[in-house]
Amino acid sequence: MAGKRLILMGPPGGGKGTQAKRLQERYKIVQLSTGDMLRAAIAAGTPVGLQAKSVMDAGKLVSDDILIAMIDARVDEADCANGFILDGFPRTIPQAEGLDRMLAKKGLKLDAAIEVRVPDERLLERLTGRFTCAKCGEGYHDKFKQPKKPGVCDVCGGTEFSRRSDDKAETVKTRLAAYHQQTAPLLPFYEAKGVLKVVDGDRDMDLVAADLERVLGL
Ligand code: AP5
Ligand code: MG
């Protein structure tokens, strides 16, 4: 298939994780979510996790050096051989430059950077209503995606769910500001490289998924 090494961009709650998981399932290209990687590091109590926790709880960005090193190592793992979807990375211009250097060093090419565009006023509801299966990580929403049987995960049958500590309304404000100030400048960066594609993320998840496949020529 075309478009194996992808960047999925968009604001907090824009649907990056939701869409990346669908692409992963359907096309067997692995989702690399830096947010999930950092949350795993926090849960494991690693030095990176210890450093990241307070920054993430404040809704701010973790340092570029940590993120670049994390992705550099992850991309070398065997499951990335068929391509990968970067979900939440890069998030600053230095990270994007770091990614360019990293891909050049590994002899890899970026196929597309996709912006999932959603207006700010939709994001608070998306984030405050989000919850996840504690066992398998499947994502849900109080209003937009409830489990078929209340309290039971559709995928694994798990009955425990969790909510992210950074999905509180006041933290969401800081995350949104970080997106506009530090991450949105990446849109013209990738547009200038001729790899930027935009999908309207303010629609039903299935329609967003279909549009994503269309722009990627899948
Ligand atoms: P990260 O985990 O990447 O969070 P984020 O970018 O804020 O994005 P989210 O995961 O909140 O949203 P999403 O776009 O994945 O939406 P989702 O699909 O879940 O990062 C967290 C933190 O880690 C950062 O704040 C930072 O501190 C740190 N970090 C991570 N990467 C970093 C980096 N590169 N550099 C520095 N720091 C970094 O959808 C949200 C909800 O909406 C779900 O409930 C879903 O079911 C629902 N939904 C999805 N699509 C739709 C739709 N079309 N219609 C209705 N509802 C929908
Ligand atoms: Mg996510």
Side-chain angles (χ1 to χ4, degrees):
M1 65 157 247
K4 282 183 175 175
R5 280 180 285 271
L6 311 174
I7 298 175
L8 217 45
M9 298 178 58
K16 302 180 294 295
T18 302
Q19 298 299 332
K21 283 202 169 64
R22 287 183 180 220
L23 284 172
Q24 167 169 269
E25 186 126 319
R26 189 133 185 222
Y27 298 100
K28 309 293 168 221
I29 14 174
V30 69
Q31 171 200 19
L32 304 185
S33 158
T34 44
D36 287 350
M37 289 158 78
L38 289 167
R39 282 183 287 276
I42 292 173
T46 67
V48 164
L50 291 175
Q51 231 180 303
K53 172 135 183 48
S54 57
V55 181
M56 288 171 74
D57 281 343
K60 300 194 172 147
L61 295 186
V62 177
S63 87
D64 291 334
D65 293 351
I66 289 182
L67 270 295
I68 292 169
M70 195 178 243
I71 286 292
D72 196 348
R74 183 66 185 85
V75 162
D76 288 337
E77 287 180 36
D79 60 349
C80 293
N82 187 39
F84 46 79
I85 306 158
L86 295 172
D87 161 5
F89 179 91
R91 243 173 159 102
T92 62
I93 293 282
Q95 288 182 23
E97 291 168 347
L99 177 65
D100 274 353
R101 281 193 299 275
M102 184 192 308
L103 293 176
K105 186 182 72 188
K106 297 180 200 291
L108 301 174
K109 191 180 140 285
L110 183 69
D111 294 293
I114 308 121
E115 179 198 3
V116 181
R117 191 174 287 174
V118 181
D120 281 9
E121 59 268 25
R122 295 274 184 276
L123 301 170
L124 186 63
E125 184 180 31
R126 289 229 193 144
L127 292 170
T128 52
R130 167 167 62 185
F131 62 100
T132 308
C133 172
K135 200 165 148 198
C136 75
E138 181 69 5
Y140 293 98
H141 192 280
D142 292 328
K143 185 164 157 194
F144 303 123
K145 188 187 165 196
Q146 294 161 337
K148 290 190 182 77
K149 189 169 167 208
V152 183
C153 175
D154 297 343
V155 175
C156 76
T159 53
E160 306 252 333
F161 296 87
S162 62
R163 290 182 189 258
R164 271 171 50 179
S165 55
D166 60 346
D167 279 346
K168 296 185 200 72
E170 59 277 19
T171 316
V172 167
K173 265 194 213 147
T174 312
R175 288 165 59 197
L176 256 177
Y179 179 74
H180 287 298
Q181 282 157 22
Q182 292 169 275
T183 308
L186 296 186
L187 300 170
F189 178 92
Y190 286 110
E191 186 159 37
K193 288 179 182 291
V195 293
L196 184 70
K197 299 183 190 295
V198 181
V199 301
D200 176 4
D202 187 17
R203 294 178 300 163
D204 180 273
M205 291 173 210
D206 293 340
L207 295 177
V208 180
D211 205 20
L212 203 51
E213 294 184 3
R214 185 185 60 76
V215 302
L216 290 172
L218 297 172

